[in-house]
Amino acid sequence: MHANIVVLPGDGIGPEIVSATLPVLEAVAARYGHTFAFQEHDIGGIAIDRHGEPLPAATLAAAQKADAVLLGAVGGPKWSDPNAKVRPEQGLLAIRKGLGLFANLRPVRPHPAALGASPIKSELLAGVDIVVVRELTGGIYFGDKTRSATDATDLCRYSVAEIERVVRSAATLARQRRGHLTSVDKANVLETSRLWRDVTARVMREEFPEVTIEHQLVDSMAMHLLSKPRAYDVIVTENMFGDILTDEASMLAGSLGLLASASLGAGKVGIYEPIHGSAPDIAGKGIANPYATILSAAMLLRHSLGLEAEAAAIEAAVSAALDAKVFTADLAAPGQAANTAQAAQAVIARLG
Ligand code: IPM
Ligand code: MG
């Protein structure tokens, strides 16, 4: 097949991890007889520098026309003045919203060879296989904001329709997996969470009777995620809880540098990006872990292009590279780290 992929390297380590990932996609294309056209655009801090805005109209227009979008990371100290009117992160939020990508899938599957890198005891981690489905275009991230000299507000709002569609995505996924969905909210305090719980319970009862549903409060969920991670299959939650819980969940996998994500909407186009940020402290050194971006490219092949075998081939190759202990600095013992290019090469060499 032929596919048009918009590439948004962004800031910090973004350009390095994206340029390490494109050759992996090229290798897959060559092996399976596909052609991928990559079109690069600016987003985030670099877009502010070059165009005066974090999401230039040309970037959004290209993404809307593309089959899929591969994104690195946005943000950095240069643009993080708390009083700045434009911020790199606004570009990320605006492109998610602009493409209508309401469901953010973040799989967490600790790799046996990397268990030692996790601060959690290995015996709790074996067999952990979770997908967090984070609502991505609503809630407190997108509500009205106010600021005066003496106070500030952020409005958290959810509609029934917004909750229904993301719960359906998560429940559909759970049905294809182990048939268990955990919905996370703060229904003992927040009205939006009480609506979330009611709508979720109804959608599950009426449309997914074969999927078991469990409701959890976010504070106890934060604890259970570390104390009994094997108990979870698919977790669905609102935007900000999902942001926080997935950084926490990345510690199960040993490094933020291993977690991929897919942001999906009603159509085929999706944004695929590592869950980590732009890591300005290590940017430009060529030492960042490219696996999360490479695994995001696998999700791109699966969800936007329907290329399941090709996606699985990349995942198996990353797994084999980890088995061979090709670890970047975030995972390696001191003095034994592979650099970004070496890790990407190790994946290409193992593509079945
Ligand atoms: C993420 C990031 C973003 C978010 C930031 C960079 C705006 O933390 O994708 O998890 O909060 O959604
Ligand atoms: Mg985050």
Side-chain angles (χ1 to χ4, degrees):
M1 76 176 299
H2 178 78
N4 293 312
I5 300 174
V6 161
V7 176
L8 307 176
D11 309 315
I13 60 170
E16 299 160 52
I17 52 178
V18 164
S19 38
T21 298
L22 297 186
V24 178
L25 282 171
E26 298 276 23
V28 167
R31 184 133 332 163
Y32 290 84
H34 306 301
T35 53
F36 299 146
F38 301 115
Q39 203 192 347
E40 197 174 308
H41 285 273
D42 294 328
I43 193 167
I46 186 141
I48 294 175
D49 288 354
R50 288 185 181 159
H51 315 277
E53 48 186 353
L55 179 63
T59 300
L60 180 60
Q64 279 163 338
K65 279 194 267 158
D67 295 304
V69 179
L70 182 71
L71 191 145
V74 301
K78 180 173 176 194
W79 308 280
S80 57
D81 173 359
N83 295 316
K85 278 269 171 291
V86 283
R87 307 175 133 270
E89 292 79 6
Q90 291 164 346
L92 188 55
L93 301 186
I95 195 169
R96 289 169 175 173
K97 187 85 169 176
L99 295 177
L101 307 179
F102 58 82
N104 180 224
L105 275 51
R106 298 186 162 188
V108 183
R109 203 168 25 213
H111 189 279
L115 293 189
S118 171
I120 312 297
K121 290 194 191 81
S122 295
E123 60 263 32
L124 292 177
L125 297 174
V128 168
D129 181 357
I130 300 170
V131 180
V132 179
V133 180
R134 168 188 175 194
E135 200 290 325
L136 202 60
T137 52
I140 199 165
Y141 271 58
F142 290 92
D144 289 342
K145 299 176 192 312
T146 67
R147 175 77 179 265
S148 76
T150 51
D151 69 3
T153 66
D154 294 279
L155 179 72
C156 184
R157 177 189 169 277
Y158 269 109
S159 71
V160 170
E162 283 173 321
I163 301 167
E164 283 174 343
R165 64 186 182 178
V166 73
V167 169
R168 287 190 185 112
S169 298
T172 303
L173 188 64
R175 190 160 59 188
Q176 293 156 6
R177 290 168 45 97
R178 301 195 300 280
H180 188 62
L181 182 66
T182 305
S183 171
V184 177
D185 61 42
K186 185 72 184 175
N188 53 348
V189 176
L190 301 177
E191 204 55 48
T192 41
S193 280
R194 286 190 273 273
L195 180 68
W196 183 281
R197 195 175 280 216
D198 286 349
V199 171
T200 302
R202 172 177 53 75
V203 169
M204 297 310 292
R205 189 174 59 242
E206 291 177 357
E207 300 174 34
F208 300 89
E210 69 281 44
V211 176
T212 57
I213 173 76
E214 175 196 2
H215 302 275
Q216 277 280 348
L217 296 173
V218 64
D219 49 351
S220 68
M221 187 67 209
M223 176 183 69
H224 291 315
L225 200 51
L226 300 185
S227 64
K228 50 167 191 169
R230 257 195 305 273
Y232 301 100
D233 178 8
V234 178
I235 296 170
V236 65
T237 190
E238 63 113 80
N239 204 342
M240 187 161 72
F241 297 159
D243 178 46
I244 298 167
L245 289 177
T246 50
D247 265 32
E248 185 191 7
S250 76
M251 284 297 99
L252 302 170
S255 169
L256 207 46
L258 290 173
L259 259 65
S261 83
S263 301
L264 307 173
K268 279 267 170 226
V269 66
I271 297 181
Y272 301 86
E273 56 174 318
I275 85 153
H276 61 69
S278 59
D281 51 322
I282 59 163
K285 299 186 176 162
I287 61 169
N289 185 342
Y291 291 144
T293 314
I294 293 171
L295 291 169
S296 300
M299 295 185 85
L300 180 158
L301 297 179
R302 172 174 297 124
H303 294 284
S304 279
L305 307 187
L307 301 176
E308 175 58 37
E310 290 83 339
I314 292 182
E315 287 162 352
V318 171
S319 191
L322 287 167
D323 280 334
K325 302 235 176 329
V326 183
F327 291 160
T328 41
D330 51 321
L331 293 168
Q336 314 212 325
N339 62 29
T340 307
Q342 287 165 335
Q345 270 310 317
V347 173
I348 292 172
R350 290 169 177 80
L351 279 173

